[in-house]
Amino acid sequence: MLRTGWGKLHSIPKVVGCFTELGIPAPEFQARLVSTTEFLCGALLLLGLFTRLASLPLIVTMVVAILTAKKGDIASVSDLFGVMEYLYIALLLWLGAYGAGALSLDRIFASRRRGASSP
């Protein structure tokens, strides 16, 4: 996510053109929104910071990608399992439900808060 967001941020005109072809409303605004979302939320996931929160906008982005850019590739439900965006959604749902791992900033900050609140 981080890498694709970075790439999109550096080629906004191409992304706007693609979004225009797909019929996405307000393509210039959406291109910047999606690019920034993928970059920032991808960075947050990498750091393990605000993991549950960062996963939500990325899930929305992947659902929209499936409904627009990938809709021609999906003829049945079984086709959905071969689409990379579906796999991202599954991973993001897991991260949203269970949070980041033991080495994440979320976990470090949570343990510090618990330690500070103990008498």
Side-chain angles (χ1 to χ4, degrees):
M1 298 289 171
L2 176 70
R3 198 169 78 180
T4 59
W6 181 258
K8 287 176 183 171
L9 282 170
H10 286 83
S11 58
I12 291 290
K14 283 172 107 175
V15 179
V16 170
C18 180
F19 283 12
T20 302
E21 287 178 21
L22 292 171
I24 295 175
E28 181 137 345
F29 172 75
Q30 297 290 350
R32 292 183 191 285
L33 178 66
V34 168
S35 302
T36 304
T37 298
E38 286 184 6
F39 180 71
L40 292 178
C41 291
L44 289 172
L45 288 180
L46 185 64
L47 294 170
L49 185 61
F50 305 117
T51 303
R52 289 184 168 118
L53 183 64
S55 65
L56 295 175
L58 291 172
I59 290 170
V60 172
T61 301
M62 293 299 106
V63 168
V64 171
I66 289 171
L67 295 174
T68 57
K70 300 293 182 171
K71 72 178 176 184
D73 298 341
I74 302 169
S76 67
V77 174
S78 63
D79 293 338
L80 190 59
F81 297 117
V83 177
M84 185 62 71
E85 288 79 2
Y86 176 78
L87 299 174
Y88 286 141
I89 290 170
L91 175 64
L92 290 165
L93 285 170
W94 186 83
L95 286 171
Y98 295 104
L103 297 177
S104 68
L105 291 177
D106 283 343
R107 184 74 54 94
I108 293 168
F109 293 150
S111 66
R112 285 189 181 173
R113 276 193 305 254
R114 279 191 299 266
S117 64
S118 298

